[in-house]
Amino acid sequence: MGVLDDLGNALDALPVAWRRDEEGGFIEWERVDVGTMRAYESRTLDGSVELRAHLTPAQAVSFAMGEDEAADDYELEDGRIVAFTMGGVRYVRDDKDSDTDDVYAHLAHALARDYTELFYVNLDTDEFIEFHTDHERGVLVERRRAAGFFENCRREARLSVHPEDQDAFARAMSRESLTEALSHGRVFQMTYRKVADGRTFYVQLNASRMGNDAHIAILSVSDIDELVMKRRAEERIREERIVYARLQALTGNFIAVYVVDPATDRYHEFSATDDIVRTFTLAKEGERFFETSREASRHHVHPADLSRFLTVFTKANVMAKIEHGGIFTLGYRLLLDDGPIHVQMKAAIVEEDEGPRLVVGLNDVDAQVRQEEEVERRLAQAQSQASVDALTGVKNRYAYLNVESRMDSQIVQHCIAPFAIVMLDINDLKMVNDTAGHQAGDRYLRNACKAICETFKHSPVFRVGGDEFVVIAQGRDYASLDERLSDMNERNAEALRSGGVVIAYGVGKYDGDSCVSTVFERADQSMYENKCRQKAMSCGQD
């Protein structure tokens, strides 16, 4: 690899501070990974072309100091140079901001999971830096630096925004519109559809200004397609329920109506169907309406509903409900010759010429109740489908977030069972997609998911990213966690020998943490370290 002529100047702009022991001077440079070797990278922009140079540790020291010769010696700690000697002068790393840097790195790592794209835009100069999520490492990495952000947005609208959303996207993403939308510290949000690889999906764009620099805007794009589809399915079912309820209100099917004198309990029945006349055994008119109805109910109300009917259907309770709310209602099942049907009793006071009358209607709501039961079943099915990953059949990211929220509540209430989070990442998925196609990549993912499910047979498995899975190990799998991980190690060793699917994993055990996410972060870090070790082993075998 070539070394840039202006490498010394480029290194001076990089964000790792050093101090000189005696004179307090500073040099700056940045560490990167090149293959399996630890090296150091300088980056500079030559017009619109990004130039890179990779250096050994000694070369990095030499060029950063502007010297022609390499460092006399240097000390490494965890793969980083922490001190070196050049020209008889010793330099040591200045770690005063390392804690803050680690916090920022962890925050960026966590946020990267939710964004497919991120832009750092200078609204005055139209220059921007574009980042994307590196699924191998789960972090945001820089993709490019360029000028012409808003022209890039117009090109994006033509190429990858759904035709029906292109005009709205183009209007919103002009310099004038975005500047106005972000004025006075406001946050701008927009939902639209993107088209990529023949697939149309919903994304959400969020934009806000940098708090300390009003000329800089941060724009992020998140894939929210699963969430939108879930909400639409639920809304569609709710709309069907409302429409059906309105139709029932307009076409109520009363099978019997009783008019009762509340002072004497004398009643008169009319509009009863023949089935009701034969089955319910109340006379067309008579005395003691409430007593007679309760006696008849012992023979004609479904046994599972009888106790509730007798408790609720008393004169005192009916009149109290009407006085308080204007109407009394009671649903139950009535036994007819053809079998039970769902009915609803409604009662209200009506003022007539002869005085107040209690009007009691018995409405056949069997079809409505069964429809509602079907709607509830479909709603539950829709919610279940919205929580399942279509490719692998395991639970998806939204299902995991729901479980995580429920477990957080259990932690607060001090009733959480012991658990561990196992984070898993499928190695080489991108290579399979690039070399063998996406169908082969899908089979690769399904095979990996099958191996995970077979290893953790008694724990829920979630696909939380393109090649990332999470297992919440509790109960039997938690008690035998070491055995499960040993099985995974044996399987990976065989896969390395035979060219099968290798799965990196990491474990975080709950240890009195305040929330599940801290356990997840430990598992994620452990997984990344395991993935690095696996790559090193793979290169060693090569």
Side-chain angles (χ1 to χ4, degrees), residues 6-15 26-29 42 63-66:
D6 60 349
L7 187 55
N9 293 331
L11 287 169
D12 287 342
L14 293 170
F26 289 88
I27 63 171
E28 297 179 331
W29 49 299
S42 165
F63 282 103
M65 295 298 292

Side-chain angles (χ1 to χ4, degrees), residues 254-307:
F254 283 100
I255 54 179
V257 176
Y258 299 89
V259 178
V260 184
D261 183 345
T264 64
D265 283 356
R266 182 173 179 82
Y267 69 93
H268 175 77
E269 175 270 314
F270 65 94
S271 300
T273 66
D274 291 341
D275 285 341
I276 292 296
V277 172
R278 290 195 304 269
T279 303
F280 202 47
T281 66
L282 260 68
K284 296 289 290 183
E285 56 182 310
E287 311 288 341
R288 303 181 300 112
F289 173 75
F290 287 96
E291 292 182 31
T292 303
S293 298
R294 287 169 60 85
E295 291 171 2
S297 70
R298 299 181 185 278
H299 304 285
H300 304 297
V301 172
H302 194 285
D305 300 333
L306 180 59
S307 177

Side-chain angles (χ1 to χ4, degrees), residues 349-423:
I349 292 292
V350 176
E351 293 293 338
E352 297 185 356
D353 293 340
E354 296 83 3
R357 291 293 182 265
L358 175 66
V359 179
V360 180
L362 199 61
N363 192 16
D364 181 355
V365 295
D366 193 68
Q368 177 184 349
V369 170
R370 296 186 188 280
Q371 173 71 11
E372 289 175 350
E373 291 175 347
E374 174 64 15
V375 168
E376 291 296 335
R377 185 192 66 78
R378 291 174 56 197
L379 178 59
Q381 183 181 25
Q383 291 172 334
S384 175
Q385 290 174 347
S387 298
V388 173
D389 177 58
L391 177 63
T392 62
V394 299
K395 297 293 186 179
N396 60 19
R397 173 179 173 80
Y398 291 102
Y400 171 77
L401 293 176
N402 288 334
V403 173
E404 182 181 80
S405 177
R406 185 166 64 250
M407 293 176 68
D408 282 343
S409 298
Q410 292 173 347
I411 289 175
V412 172
Q413 297 168 8
H414 304 289
C415 60
I416 188 73
F419 72 93
I421 298 293
V422 184
M423 187 74 189

Side-chain angles (χ1 to χ4, degrees), residues 20 55 60 104 127 136 219 242 305 312 324 326 381 402 417 450-451 454 459 471 516:
R20 181 173 176 175
L55 311 176
Y104 287 153
E127 296 174 319
E136 283 288 321
L219 291 84
I242 291 172
D305 300 333
V312 174
H324 182 264
Q381 183 181 25
N402 288 334
K450 180 181 178 183
E454 288 176 351
S459 300
V471 173
V516 176

Side-chain angles (χ1 to χ4, degrees), residues 2-32:
V3 178
L4 303 179
D5 294 335
D6 60 349
L7 187 55
N9 293 331
L11 287 169
D12 287 342
L14 293 170
V16 177
W18 292 71
R19 61 182 171 81
R20 181 173 176 175
D21 274 356
E22 287 121 1
E23 299 180 12
F26 289 88
I27 63 171
E28 297 179 331
W29 49 299
E30 182 181 63
R31 188 193 76 234
V32 299

Side-chain angles (χ1 to χ4, degrees), residues 491-508:
R491 191 196 166 283
N492 280 337
E494 175 59 27
L496 281 171
R497 289 191 296 269
S498 62
V501 182
V502 178
I503 305 172
Y505 69 86
V507 179

